Amino acid sequence: MTKQKTQEFKSYTTPKRVWKIFVGVLVRPKETMENTIFQWKEAWVYLLSFLVLSIANDQVQSWVFMGQASWKETLYSTTFTFFYIWLFLSLVLQVISLIFGGRENIFTMMGSMAYSLIPMILLTLIELIFSLLVWQNVIPYGAFAEMVPRVLSWVGTAWAWPGILCLFMLQNIYKFGYQKAAGVLLITWIVVAISWILPH
């Protein structure tokens, strides 16, 4: 690798680029997802940002809805759930993509999934702020307080995992056309729906 290419590669992962991609995915998702060279260093920034916000939000919600909860239990539960969903969706998308002719490996899929998680960082931050307001009685506890987290979760599922951004991600890493990427995503939704229905 030449010195120029080495500098170019290193320049891909900078705070400015991380922020630019974050904003781009939110305001110009198709263009950003289809033209971004995914990097693992950036992927971990998005993944860990979401995980930290999720742990904080789950802890506050446990105070709101249950009155008390151990932070260790919240930490373990939220972390385990996050990594389980991340691995499960990555494996499902990877297997189905291979059937459709994709040739990237599972690590590429897992790293790429971080970019389609970006909207969940914003939505979880909004939910955390809302949960704090409910906890402090700024917003009264009731049906509305219970409904908002569910709505944000539904929006995140449709937008991020395994939503529309996964479609653009598949077009990027596998160079799938729209129809093929949509087919992979549709089958993934069916698998996810079945996993929800089956007894745990």
Side-chain angles (χ1 to χ4, degrees), residues 7-102:
Q7 291 175 343
E8 182 182 0
F9 178 79
K10 289 182 178 179
S11 72
Y12 286 157
T13 305
T14 63
K16 182 178 179 180
R17 178 181 146 91
V18 169
W19 176 250
K20 182 179 179 181
I21 292 173
F22 181 88
V23 174
V25 168
L26 295 175
V27 300
R28 298 185 305 276
K30 189 176 189 298
E31 176 185 345
T32 302
M33 291 291 287
E34 291 181 354
N35 295 288
T36 296
I37 299 175
F38 298 143
Q39 301 286 324
W40 261 106
K41 290 179 182 179
E42 293 169 358
W44 280 116
V45 171
Y46 301 131
L47 290 166
L48 293 178
S49 296
F50 171 73
L51 180 59
V52 169
L53 286 171
S54 294
I55 292 170
N57 181 59
D58 287 349
Q59 182 64 49
V60 174
Q61 285 197 352
S62 70
W63 292 333
V64 171
F65 296 111
M66 294 184 291
Q68 60 181 359
S70 165
W71 70 266
K72 289 183 179 179
E73 291 179 3
T74 302
L75 175 64
Y76 296 147
S77 175
T78 303
T79 302
F80 174 80
T81 301
F82 167 70
F83 280 100
Y84 171 80
I85 294 174
W86 179 29
L87 180 59
F88 173 73
L89 285 176
S90 296
L91 283 172
V92 172
L93 282 165
Q94 174 69 9
V95 170
I96 298 171
S97 295
L98 288 174
I99 294 172
F100 276 72

Side-chain angles (χ1 to χ4, degrees), residues 81-155:
T81 301
F82 167 70
F83 280 100
Y84 171 80
I85 294 174
W86 179 29
L87 180 59
F88 173 73
L89 285 176
S90 296
L91 283 172
V92 172
L93 282 165
Q94 174 69 9
V95 170
I96 298 171
S97 295
L98 288 174
I99 294 172
F100 276 72
R103 289 294 175 265
E104 291 293 344
N105 60 49
I106 183 62
F107 297 107
T108 299
M109 174 61 75
M110 292 181 69
S112 302
M113 286 286 282
Y115 292 78
S116 57
L117 185 67
I118 285 174
M120 290 301 298
I121 298 174
L122 176 62
L123 293 172
T124 306
L125 176 60
I126 293 172
E127 187 175 345
L128 173 59
I129 294 171
F130 180 83
S131 299
L132 286 168
L133 293 175
V134 175
W135 181 44
Q136 294 299 313
N137 296 316
V138 176
I139 297 175
Y141 176 82
F144 176 73
E146 294 181 356
M147 179 186 68
V148 169
R150 295 176 188 172
V151 171
L152 291 174
S153 177
W154 294 337
V155 171

